[in-house]
Amino acid sequence: MTDATPIGTSSGILHVLMDIGPNVSEEEFHQWYNNEHGPSRMAIEGFKCGVRYEALDGLGPKWVATYEIDNLTVLQTEPYLSIRNNSSPEEADILKRISLIDRKIYADVLHRGQFQPVIGTILVAVRLLIPSANAKELEEWYQKEHVDMLADIPGWLRSRLFKELSSESSKTDLVQYMALHEYHSDNGLGGPKHVAASSTDWRMRIMSLAIGGPIRRDFRLYHIF
C-alpha cells in the first residue's frame, strides 16, 4: 500500500513480510534489522512493541516483523516519514538488494489474551479475503465463537483480528482480514481442541465465503525490540 492511503485514528499494526534473496547474507540482514531498522521505528512515539518472526512452514516470505502502534496516524507524521524517506547509506544499500518487502497496515478489530515476549513463541497467521457484505458475520464469529474455542487450546496466549487498510480494497467489494494467534512453543496445535475449533458449522460457513480460502502461515518468534 502507499502512504496516500487514508489511515484512521484506531490502533493497529505495521506488518512487514521480507525475503532476503541471494544478494544479502542472513548475518548482514539481521545485523541491519536488529541494530538499525527496527530500533529507529521503536524510537518513534506511538510504537508500542516490535517483534520479528521466522517462518516454520518452509514457505516464503521467510521473515516477518510486526509493530504494534497506539494510533495509526503516526505513520503519516513527520518523524516516521522522515526515517522512511531519509535512509542511511547502509540502509539504502541493503534495501536495494533485498528481494521482497511486503508492507501492510492493519487496524485492530479484536484483541484477546496477553502477549508474553518469549523467544520461540509460535505465531499462526491466517489471512482471509471476504466479501464486504459478510465482514460483520466474520467479526461476530471470531468474537462469539472462534477465539473462545482457541483460548481452550493448551498453550494459547493471545488472538487478534485485524482489517487491512488499503486503497485498493476500498475500490472493491472485498475486505482483507488477518488473524494472529500466539501459543507457547509447547502447545496443543493439531490436538483435539484445535480440531474442534476448526470444525464448527459456523467456521465452515465463514471459510466457504473466503475468496481463495484461508491462507495460513506458521512462524516462530525470533527477536524482540
Side-chain angles (χ1 to χ4, degrees):
M1 67 177 295
T2 68
D3 288 326
T5 302
I7 296 176
T9 59
S10 68
S11 59
I13 59 172
L14 174 61
H15 188 78
V16 187
L17 289 156
M18 305 180 80
D19 260 336
I20 303 174
N23 299 316
V24 180
S25 70
E26 283 205 354
E27 180 181 2
E28 181 183 17
F29 174 66
H30 295 316
Q31 182 174 349
W32 160 71
Y33 209 109
N34 294 348
N35 297 318
E36 178 181 356
H37 189 77
S40 69
R41 272 89 185 137
M42 293 306 302
I44 297 173
E45 185 176 357
F47 276 68
K48 296 192 300 180
C49 178
V51 290
R52 296 182 60 214
Y53 299 91
E54 179 181 10
L56 291 174
D57 51 19
L59 303 175
K62 180 179 179 179
W63 300 98
V64 60
T66 297
Y67 302 92
E68 298 182 23
I69 300 172
D70 277 331
N71 187 322
L72 291 173
T73 57
V74 74
L75 299 177
Q76 294 178 326
T77 61
E78 192 279 333
Y80 179 72
L81 295 178
S82 178
I83 64 169
R84 285 204 72 201
N85 298 329
N86 299 286
S87 300
S88 70
E90 294 78 12
E91 175 155 293
D93 173 62
I94 201 169
L95 287 173
K96 289 178 185 176
R97 293 185 282 125
I98 288 175
S99 65
L100 183 146
I101 301 175
D102 182 11
R103 175 182 175 275
K104 296 187 184 299
I105 299 169
Y106 292 92
D108 282 326
V109 175
L110 176 151
H111 187 145
R112 190 90 57 85
Q114 296 295 323
F115 177 54
Q116 298 184 25
V118 177
I119 299 299
T121 295
I122 302 302
L123 174 73
V124 177
V126 182
R127 285 189 292 134
L128 294 164
L129 187 62
I130 295 285
S132 58
N134 303 110
K136 182 177 179 181
E137 182 182 1
L138 178 141
E139 294 179 13
E140 288 180 348
W141 166 63
Y142 264 94
Q143 293 169 349
K144 296 179 180 180
E145 177 184 272
H146 194 53
V147 174
D148 286 340
M149 296 185 74
L150 293 179
D152 209 26
I153 296 171
W156 175 88
L157 295 171
R158 179 169 66 160
S159 286
R160 293 172 291 165
L161 181 65
F162 303 93
K163 181 186 296 186
E164 183 184 351
L165 299 180
S166 168
S167 56
E168 291 304 313
S169 63
S170 66
K171 298 174 185 177
T172 69
D173 197 31
L174 300 173
V175 183
Q176 181 83 62
Y177 284 93
M178 183 175 66
L180 299 179
H181 309 292
E182 291 159 318
Y183 299 85
H184 285 296
S185 55
D186 183 12
N187 58 66
L189 289 173
K193 291 187 176 182
H194 187 212
V195 171
S198 304
S199 306
T200 70
D201 290 342
W202 201 356
R203 181 189 182 277
M204 296 303 183
R205 167 174 163 73
I206 295 297
M207 295 305 113
S208 72
L209 297 171
I211 308 302
I215 299 174
R216 171 178 166 166
R217 297 291 315 277
D218 292 356
F219 299 89
R220 178 190 291 119
L221 200 155
Y222 176 82
H223 183 82
I224 306 163
F225 292 111

